[in-house]
Amino acid sequence: MIDLRSDTVTKPTMAMRQAALEAEVGDDVYEEDPTVKKLEDKAAEMLGKEAALFVTSGTQGNQIAVLTHCNPGDEVLLDANAHLFLYEGASMSALAGVQPRTIQGERGVMNPEEVKAAIRPDDIHFPETSLICLENTHNKAGGVVVPLENMQEIYGIAREAGVPVHLDGARLFNASVASGISLQRYADQTDTVQVCLSKGLGAPIGSIIAGSYEFIQKARKWRKRLGGGMRQVGMVAAPAYVALTTMVDRLKVDHDHARKLANGLQVVQGLTIEKVETNIVLVHVDGIDETAETFLEEIKRDGILAVPFGPTTVRFVTNYDVSEKDIDTVIDRVLARFAF
Ligand SMILES: *Cc1c(COP(=O)(O)O)cnc(C)c1O
C-alpha cells in the first residue's frame, strides 16, 4: 500500500529507534528526565520561546493552551475550518468550558478587520474574548502557508486588545521550509505555539507547546490534570529529538513530491486540484462523476490510500515513507483508471 492518508502514518527511522534504546531517562513528573529536558530546551530555542513542554499529542497541546489561557465562560476566536474547531471533539467546550466563535477565513486566512470586530467589548452581557487561535500551515485549506504579514496584523490587534494568541503549528515546520521564514519569526507573532513532531518529522509520538516560563508552568499542571504527566518518557523524547534536529530540512522533499503528484493528476480531465503549497494535495473529484468515497474505493484497489475531505474532495499527504517512485506509481495508476 502507498499510504498518503496523512503524514502521521510515518514509522520511526532506525536512528529514532536507536535513540530510544539508548535514552537516558528519569521520572519526568519530578522533572528528572534529562532526555525530555534536552528536547524541551532545544524546541524552546528553535521556536524562540522561554520554555517548552513535551505533550502526548497535538490535540493535547492545543487543549492545554486553551485551558491555560482561558476561564470557563470565555470566548475563543478562530477560523471556521480550524483543526481546533473541526477535529478536536469540541474539547475546548467539553474541557475548558469556553465558547468558540468562528470567523470564515479565505483558504484558512482570517481577515484581521473581522478578527478585530469580533473581539468583545467590556459588557456584562458578553463573554470575554480570552484567546485567538491561528493555524499554520492550514490543514483543511490544503496545507496553505498563512502569510507572516497576516499573523503580524492579527497579533497587533490582539495585543492592543490584551488578548493572547495561540498558534496551532502542527505543521509549522512545513510552513517554514516552504516560505523560508524561520520558526522563530512565526512564533514571534503569537504568545504560545504547538508543533507536532509526529507528522512530517516522523517521530512516533509527541508534540511541543512553547511560550513564556509562566505559561509553561501553568501548562505543566494542566498536562498533569489531563493525565499527560508521563514518567520515563525519555524513551519517547529521544526519537522526538532526532525528528526535531534531523528531519526538518527534508520536508522539502515531501513538498516536491506533492507538487509532482498534483502536476501528474492535473492531466486527468475533470479533476480539479487546489494549489499546492506544502505537503497536502486536495483533489475535487465531482468533475469525473465520482464521490470522495467511490474515488477512494477505486484507488484502494490499486494499492493507494488517501482520505475523504468533503463529499467530493480527497486529501493526499506526502510523507517520509512515500518515495518519488511511489508518486510516479500513484500518478500512473490514477491515470490508467480515470484518464481517457
Ligand atoms: C494533526 C493536527 C493536530 C492534532 O495533532 P494530533 O497529534 O493528531 O492530536 C492539530 N492541528 C492540526 C492543524 C493538525 O493537522
Side-chain angles (χ1 to χ4, degrees), residues 8 57-60 62 83 88 135 137 139 168 170-171 194 196 198-199 207:
T8 56
S57 68
T59 299
Q60 188 184 63
N62 284 339
H83 194 282
E88 301 188 10
E135 182 174 320
T137 65
N139 173 36
D168 177 357
R171 295 193 180 84
Q194 180 273 122
C196 281
S198 64
K199 289 194 166 159
S207 278

PDB file of all heavy atoms in Angstrom, residues 8 57-60 62 83 88 135 137 139 168 170-171 194 196 198-199 207, ligand 1:
ATOM      1  N   THR A   8       1.004  11.533   9.504  1.00  0.00           N
ATOM      2  CA  THR A   8       1.092  10.880  10.826  1.00  0.00           C
ATOM      3  C   THR A   8       1.397   9.384  10.705  1.00  0.00           C
ATOM      4  O   THR A   8       1.718   8.753  11.698  1.00  0.00           O
ATOM      5  CB  THR A   8      -0.237  11.003  11.601  1.00  0.00           C
ATOM      6  OG1 THR A   8      -1.282  10.453  10.799  1.00  0.00           O
ATOM      7  CG2 THR A   8      -0.555  12.438  11.946  1.00  0.00           C
ATOM      8  N   SER A  57       0.203  14.706  22.376  1.00  0.00           N
ATOM      9  CA  SER A  57      -0.309  14.855  21.007  1.00  0.00           C
ATOM     10  C   SER A  57      -0.564  16.322  20.703  1.00  0.00           C
ATOM     11  O   SER A  57      -0.575  17.164  21.615  1.00  0.00           O
ATOM     12  CB  SER A  57      -1.631  14.079  20.866  1.00  0.00           C
ATOM     13  OG  SER A  57      -2.627  14.710  21.648  1.00  0.00           O
ATOM     14  N   GLY A  58      -0.825  16.591  19.435  1.00  0.00           N
ATOM     15  CA  GLY A  58      -1.156  17.951  19.040  1.00  0.00           C
ATOM     16  C   GLY A  58      -2.445  18.420  19.692  1.00  0.00           C
ATOM     17  O   GLY A  58      -2.555  19.559  20.153  1.00  0.00           O
ATOM     18  N   THR A  59      -3.406  17.524  19.743  1.00  0.00           N
ATOM     19  CA  THR A  59      -4.690  17.869  20.359  1.00  0.00           C
ATOM     20  C   THR A  59      -4.486  18.205  21.837  1.00  0.00           C
ATOM     21  O   THR A  59      -5.023  19.205  22.328  1.00  0.00           O
ATOM     22  CB  THR A  59      -5.681  16.697  20.197  1.00  0.00           C
ATOM     23  OG1 THR A  59      -5.871  16.465  18.801  1.00  0.00           O
ATOM     24  CG2 THR A  59      -7.013  17.003  20.840  1.00  0.00           C
ATOM     25  N   GLN A  60      -3.691  17.391  22.536  1.00  0.00           N
ATOM     26  CA  GLN A  60      -3.462  17.702  23.955  1.00  0.00           C
ATOM     27  C   GLN A  60      -2.755  19.052  24.105  1.00  0.00           C
ATOM     28  O   GLN A  60      -3.103  19.839  24.977  1.00  0.00           O
ATOM     29  CB  GLN A  60      -2.637  16.597  24.639  1.00  0.00           C
ATOM     30  CG  GLN A  60      -2.582  16.820  26.144  1.00  0.00           C
ATOM     31  CD  GLN A  60      -1.695  15.812  26.864  1.00  0.00           C
ATOM     32  OE1 GLN A  60      -0.491  15.745  26.631  1.00  0.00           O
ATOM     33  NE2 GLN A  60      -2.300  15.029  27.729  1.00  0.00           N
ATOM     34  N   ASN A  62      -2.871  21.685  22.061  1.00  0.00           N
ATOM     35  CA  ASN A  62      -3.824  22.768  21.807  1.00  0.00           C
ATOM     36  C   ASN A  62      -4.779  22.947  22.983  1.00  0.00           C
ATOM     37  O   ASN A  62      -5.091  24.067  23.391  1.00  0.00           O
ATOM     38  CB  ASN A  62      -4.631  22.479  20.535  1.00  0.00           C
ATOM     39  CG  ASN A  62      -3.837  22.723  19.263  1.00  0.00           C
ATOM     40  OD1 ASN A  62      -2.854  23.455  19.274  1.00  0.00           O
ATOM     41  ND2 ASN A  62      -4.261  22.119  18.168  1.00  0.00           N
ATOM     42  N   HIS A  83      -8.468  23.331  12.842  1.00  0.00           N
ATOM     43  CA  HIS A  83      -8.419  21.997  13.447  1.00  0.00           C
ATOM     44  C   HIS A  83      -9.007  22.029  14.857  1.00  0.00           C
ATOM     45  O   HIS A  83      -9.776  21.151  15.262  1.00  0.00           O
ATOM     46  CB  HIS A  83      -6.970  21.509  13.493  1.00  0.00           C
ATOM     47  CG  HIS A  83      -6.813  20.050  13.784  1.00  0.00           C
ATOM     48  ND1 HIS A  83      -6.943  19.533  15.052  1.00  0.00           N
ATOM     49  CD2 HIS A  83      -6.555  18.990  12.975  1.00  0.00           C
ATOM     50  CE1 HIS A  83      -6.758  18.216  15.002  1.00  0.00           C
ATOM     51  NE2 HIS A  83      -6.523  17.866  13.758  1.00  0.00           N
ATOM     52  N   GLU A  88     -11.285  18.354  17.029  1.00  0.00           N
ATOM     53  CA  GLU A  88     -10.802  18.027  18.380  1.00  0.00           C
ATOM     54  C   GLU A  88     -11.967  17.710  19.316  1.00  0.00           C
ATOM     55  O   GLU A  88     -11.885  17.924  20.535  1.00  0.00           O
ATOM     56  CB  GLU A  88      -9.850  19.130  18.887  1.00  0.00           C
ATOM     57  CG  GLU A  88      -8.660  19.271  17.934  1.00  0.00           C
ATOM     58  CD  GLU A  88      -7.520  20.177  18.372  1.00  0.00           C
ATOM     59  OE1 GLU A  88      -7.498  20.620  19.539  1.00  0.00           O
ATOM     60  OE2 GLU A  88      -6.632  20.424  17.529  1.00  0.00           O
ATOM     61  N   GLU A 135      -3.680  28.992  12.756  1.00  0.00           N
ATOM     62  CA  GLU A 135      -3.191  27.665  12.334  1.00  0.00           C
ATOM     63  C   GLU A 135      -2.290  27.825  11.112  1.00  0.00           C
ATOM     64  O   GLU A 135      -2.679  28.458  10.131  1.00  0.00           O
ATOM     65  CB  GLU A 135      -4.404  26.779  11.995  1.00  0.00           C
ATOM     66  CG  GLU A 135      -4.047  25.360  11.582  1.00  0.00           C
ATOM     67  CD  GLU A 135      -5.300  24.490  11.390  1.00  0.00           C
ATOM     68  OE1 GLU A 135      -6.249  24.607  12.196  1.00  0.00           O
ATOM     69  OE2 GLU A 135      -5.323  23.708  10.432  1.00  0.00           O
ATOM     70  N   THR A 137       0.878  25.417   8.927  1.00  0.00           N
ATOM     71  CA  THR A 137       0.056  25.538   7.752  1.00  0.00           C
ATOM     72  C   THR A 137      -1.379  25.167   8.091  1.00  0.00           C
ATOM     73  O   THR A 137      -1.629  24.492   9.076  1.00  0.00           O
ATOM     74  CB  THR A 137       0.545  24.602   6.613  1.00  0.00           C
ATOM     75  OG1 THR A 137       0.381  23.228   7.009  1.00  0.00           O
ATOM     76  CG2 THR A 137       1.978  24.854   6.271  1.00  0.00           C
ATOM     77  N   ASN A 139      -4.489  23.070   7.656  1.00  0.00           N
ATOM     78  CA  ASN A 139      -4.772  21.709   7.178  1.00  0.00           C
ATOM     79  C   ASN A 139      -5.973  21.655   6.235  1.00  0.00           C
ATOM     80  O   ASN A 139      -5.863  21.244   5.075  1.00  0.00           O
ATOM     81  CB  ASN A 139      -4.978  20.815   8.409  1.00  0.00           C
ATOM     82  CG  ASN A 139      -5.445  19.415   8.055  1.00  0.00           C
ATOM     83  OD1 ASN A 139      -5.054  18.855   7.053  1.00  0.00           O
ATOM     84  ND2 ASN A 139      -6.312  18.860   8.886  1.00  0.00           N
ATOM     85  N   ASP A 168      -1.687  27.080  16.388  1.00  0.00           N
ATOM     86  CA  ASP A 168      -1.678  25.641  16.142  1.00  0.00           C
ATOM     87  C   ASP A 168      -0.719  25.425  14.972  1.00  0.00           C
ATOM     88  O   ASP A 168      -1.086  25.541  13.811  1.00  0.00           O
ATOM     89  CB  ASP A 168      -3.100  25.163  15.800  1.00  0.00           C
ATOM     90  CG  ASP A 168      -3.140  23.677  15.459  1.00  0.00           C
ATOM     91  OD1 ASP A 168      -2.064  23.045  15.427  1.00  0.00           O
ATOM     92  OD2 ASP A 168      -4.248  23.170  15.221  1.00  0.00           O
ATOM     93  N   ALA A 170       0.851  22.651  14.122  1.00  0.00           N
ATOM     94  CA  ALA A 170       1.066  21.210  13.902  1.00  0.00           C
ATOM     95  C   ALA A 170       2.029  20.996  12.737  1.00  0.00           C
ATOM     96  O   ALA A 170       2.908  20.148  12.797  1.00  0.00           O
ATOM     97  CB  ALA A 170      -0.261  20.513  13.641  1.00  0.00           C
ATOM     98  N   ARG A 171       1.859  21.808  11.678  1.00  0.00           N
ATOM     99  CA  ARG A 171       2.747  21.727  10.515  1.00  0.00           C
ATOM    100  C   ARG A 171       3.496  23.044  10.283  1.00  0.00           C
ATOM    101  O   ARG A 171       3.721  23.451   9.142  1.00  0.00           O
ATOM    102  CB  ARG A 171       1.962  21.321   9.262  1.00  0.00           C
ATOM    103  CG  ARG A 171       1.370  19.918   9.346  1.00  0.00           C
ATOM    104  CD  ARG A 171       0.868  19.412   8.006  1.00  0.00           C
ATOM    105  NE  ARG A 171       0.311  18.076   8.131  1.00  0.00           N
ATOM    106  CZ  ARG A 171      -0.944  17.808   8.515  1.00  0.00           C
ATOM    107  NH1 ARG A 171      -1.788  18.801   8.790  1.00  0.00           N
ATOM    108  NH2 ARG A 171      -1.359  16.568   8.605  1.00  0.00           N
ATOM    109  N   GLN A 194       1.996  25.424  19.362  1.00  0.00           N
ATOM    110  CA  GLN A 194       2.045  23.967  19.445  1.00  0.00           C
ATOM    111  C   GLN A 194       2.618  23.461  18.130  1.00  0.00           C
ATOM    112  O   GLN A 194       2.185  23.888  17.052  1.00  0.00           O
ATOM    113  CB  GLN A 194       0.617  23.429  19.657  1.00  0.00           C
ATOM    114  CG  GLN A 194       0.491  21.907  19.772  1.00  0.00           C
ATOM    115  CD  GLN A 194       0.340  21.185  18.429  1.00  0.00           C
ATOM    116  OE1 GLN A 194       1.145  20.312  18.071  1.00  0.00           O
ATOM    117  NE2 GLN A 194      -0.648  21.571  17.665  1.00  0.00           N
ATOM    118  N   CYS A 196       3.768  19.719  16.059  1.00  0.00           N
ATOM    119  CA  CYS A 196       3.716  18.248  16.089  1.00  0.00           C
ATOM    120  C   CYS A 196       5.063  17.687  15.625  1.00  0.00           C
ATOM    121  O   CYS A 196       5.568  18.064  14.567  1.00  0.00           O
ATOM    122  CB  CYS A 196       2.641  17.719  15.136  1.00  0.00           C
ATOM    123  SG  CYS A 196       0.977  17.836  15.794  1.00  0.00           S
ATOM    124  N   SER A 198       5.248  14.324  15.373  1.00  0.00           N
ATOM    125  CA  SER A 198       4.847  13.006  14.860  1.00  0.00           C
ATOM    126  C   SER A 198       4.182  13.080  13.497  1.00  0.00           C
ATOM    127  O   SER A 198       3.586  12.126  13.043  1.00  0.00           O
ATOM    128  CB  SER A 198       3.896  12.341  15.855  1.00  0.00           C
ATOM    129  OG  SER A 198       2.717  13.103  15.952  1.00  0.00           O
ATOM    130  N   LYS A 199       4.286  14.236  12.832  1.00  0.00           N
ATOM    131  CA  LYS A 199       3.741  14.343  11.470  1.00  0.00           C
ATOM    132  C   LYS A 199       4.894  14.238  10.482  1.00  0.00           C
ATOM    133  O   LYS A 199       5.555  13.209  10.437  1.00  0.00           O
ATOM    134  CB  LYS A 199       2.922  15.618  11.354  1.00  0.00           C
ATOM    135  CG  LYS A 199       1.627  15.455  12.159  1.00  0.00           C
ATOM    136  CD  LYS A 199       0.575  16.469  11.895  1.00  0.00           C
ATOM    137  CE  LYS A 199      -0.729  15.960  12.493  1.00  0.00           C
ATOM    138  NZ  LYS A 199      -1.683  17.027  12.727  1.00  0.00           N
ATOM    139  N   SER A 207       4.097  16.070  20.769  1.00  0.00           N
ATOM    140  CA  SER A 207       4.077  17.459  20.328  1.00  0.00           C
ATOM    141  C   SER A 207       4.772  18.303  21.384  1.00  0.00           C
ATOM    142  O   SER A 207       5.010  17.840  22.502  1.00  0.00           O
ATOM    143  CB  SER A 207       2.636  17.956  20.176  1.00  0.00           C
ATOM    144  OG  SER A 207       2.086  17.574  18.940  1.00  0.00           O
TER     145      SER A 207
HETATM  146  C1  LIG B   1      -2.803  16.810  13.315  1.00  0.00           C
HETATM  147  C2  LIG B   1      -3.191  18.172  13.738  1.00  0.00           C
HETATM  148  C3  LIG B   1      -3.444  18.456  15.076  1.00  0.00           C
HETATM  149  C4  LIG B   1      -3.546  17.407  16.156  1.00  0.00           C
HETATM  150  O1  LIG B   1      -2.499  16.563  16.291  1.00  0.00           O
HETATM  151  P1  LIG B   1      -2.700  15.101  16.935  1.00  0.00           P
HETATM  152  O2  LIG B   1      -1.319  14.788  17.335  1.00  0.00           O
HETATM  153  O3  LIG B   1      -3.241  14.266  15.832  1.00  0.00           O
HETATM  154  O4  LIG B   1      -3.629  15.230  18.093  1.00  0.00           O
HETATM  155  C5  LIG B   1      -3.717  19.774  15.408  1.00  0.00           C
HETATM  156  N1  LIG B   1      -3.772  20.727  14.473  1.00  0.00           N
HETATM  157  C6  LIG B   1      -3.550  20.481  13.176  1.00  0.00           C
HETATM  158  C7  LIG B   1      -3.598  21.606  12.205  1.00  0.00           C
HETATM  159  C8  LIG B   1      -3.269  19.192  12.754  1.00  0.00           C
HETATM  160  O5  LIG B   1      -3.059  18.959  11.460  1.00  0.00           O
END
